[in-house]
Amino acid sequence: MQNLDSIGTQIRKLREEAEMPLRKLAALLDIDQSTLSKIERDERRANTQIIEQIAKIFKADKEKLLVAFYSDVVMYEIQDESSFSEILQVAEAKIEYQRTTKKKTK
Amino acid sequence: MQNLDSIGTQIRKLREEAEMPLRKLAALLDIDQSTLSKIERDERRANTQIIEQIAKIFKADKEKLLVAFYSDVVMYEIQDESSFSEILQVAEAKIEYQRTTKKKTK
DNA sequence: TACATTTGGACATATTTTGTCAAGAATAAA
DNA sequence: TTTATTCTTGACAAAATATGTCCAAATGTA
């Protein structure tokens, strides 16, 4: 089953399992410890660069972390919409369509 | 079947079906005509306020337009991710979970 | 040509995000 | 308790994005 923990919670769990202080992980990531604290509590957005580094540091599955990250992003965008389920369906269809027609990124 | 046209394309179609010049619709929406031109070509984001007004002006289904709008937003966020399908699944599960536990918006 | 409509680009302003700091709160150790 | 360590909070400026506006260029139509 998929992990429904937020990206922040997942980062915190990885860090605590490794018994690494927040301050030290922040230093490895080259960000302020207050920023990392906020990321772990989902008060600030992480970004893909940070996630990639974290995957390396803790030898975690990068793809799974990215799924957690982006699903959070999507969730925040549409959580208050009653038609959220249809929105996701249509988004998926649009992306699939895009791929079959091989649109280039301008 | 769902309408996979972008929100911009849908707005343009509604306007053209009503044979209303862009300039006039822009005036009704109280935005610059160049802004509307960009929205119709998906060069600028629409917003929910504009969409609600358009639904009223053309007596269109507001919910369907919102689905088009938000699915575009979601698509742009994750279109380059190989795991897009899983991301959407997880996002849906997160939103559903949130609703069963009735989290309040702070 | 003349006229109406749409598009493109430049620019200023506004809003949002990000980075940084320092002090306060919480936790653990002595 | 006192001290040390860790984490959180809030304030602030700087950077990055988004938005609003103007107007000339392009396109289309009579």
Side-chain angles (χ1 to χ4, degrees), chain A residues 2-3 6-8 12-13 22 26 32-33 35 38 45 50 52 66 74-75 87 93 96 102:
Chain A
Q2 327 150 115
N3 189 342
S6 71
I7 184 64
R12 174 149 295 185
K13 282 182 176 173
L22 190 149
D32 195 275
Q33 64 171 2
T35 300
K38 286 163 191 164
R45 260 209 200 187
I50 285 176
E52 279 164 21
L66 286 174
V74 169
M75 180 191 71
I87 288 168
E96 278 164 356
K102 288 171 184 75

Side-chain angles (χ1 to χ4, degrees), chain B residues 7-66:
Chain B
I7 183 63
T9 298
Q10 294 196 35
I11 291 171
R12 173 150 296 185
K13 281 183 178 173
L14 285 170
R15 181 175 64 76
E16 289 183 339
E17 275 162 23
E19 294 183 55
M20 180 187 292
L22 190 149
R23 174 183 43 73
K24 189 176 170 200
L25 178 56
L28 287 175
L29 298 172
D30 195 28
I31 61 178
D32 195 276
Q33 62 173 8
S34 84
T35 301
L36 178 56
S37 170
K38 285 161 192 163
I39 288 173
E40 291 190 351
R41 286 170 299 112
D42 302 303
E43 232 183 75
R44 281 214 182 172
R45 260 209 201 187
N47 61 54
T48 55
Q49 200 206 295
I50 284 176
I51 287 167
E52 280 163 21
Q53 293 180 85
I54 285 176
K56 273 194 189 164
I57 291 168
F58 298 119
K59 301 191 195 331
D61 184 333
K62 180 177 122 187
E63 273 308 309
K64 284 188 182 168
L65 291 177
L66 287 173

Side-chain angles (χ1 to χ4, degrees), chain A residues 92 95-96 99, chain B residues 78 81-89:
Chain A
E92 181 163 16
I95 295 172
E96 278 164 356
R99 304 207 164 188
Chain B
I78 66 169
E81 292 306 307
S82 55
S83 313
F84 73 95
S85 184
E86 205 187 343
I87 289 168
L88 295 173
Q89 258 185 246

Side-chain angles (χ1 to χ4, degrees), chain A residues 74-84 87, chain B residues 63 70 95 98-99 103-105:
Chain A
V74 169
M75 180 191 71
Y76 289 131
E77 294 272 16
I78 65 169
Q79 60 188 340
D80 295 330
E81 293 306 307
S82 55
S83 313
F84 73 94
I87 288 168
Chain B
E63 273 308 309
Y70 282 110
I95 295 172
Q98 218 181 25
R99 303 207 165 187
K103 287 242 178 67
K104 49 210 132 203
T105 335

Side-chain angles (χ1 to χ4, degrees), chain A residues 46-93:
Chain A
N47 61 54
T48 54
Q49 200 207 297
I50 285 176
I51 288 168
E52 279 164 21
Q53 293 180 86
I54 285 176
K56 272 193 190 165
I57 292 168
F58 299 119
K59 302 191 196 326
D61 184 333
K62 180 177 123 187
E63 272 307 309
K64 284 187 182 171
L65 291 177
L66 286 174
V67 167
F69 170 66
Y70 282 110
S71 60
D72 279 3
V73 170
V74 169
M75 180 191 71
Y76 289 131
E77 294 272 16
I78 65 169
Q79 60 188 340
D80 295 330
E81 293 306 307
S82 55
S83 313
F84 73 94
S85 185
E86 204 188 342
I87 288 168
L88 296 173
Q89 257 186 246
V90 173
E92 181 163 16

Side-chain angles (χ1 to χ4, degrees), chain A residues 12 15 21-23 34 37-38 41:
Chain A
R12 174 149 295 185
R15 181 175 64 78
L22 190 149
R23 173 184 42 72
S34 84
S37 171
K38 286 163 191 164
R41 285 169 301 107

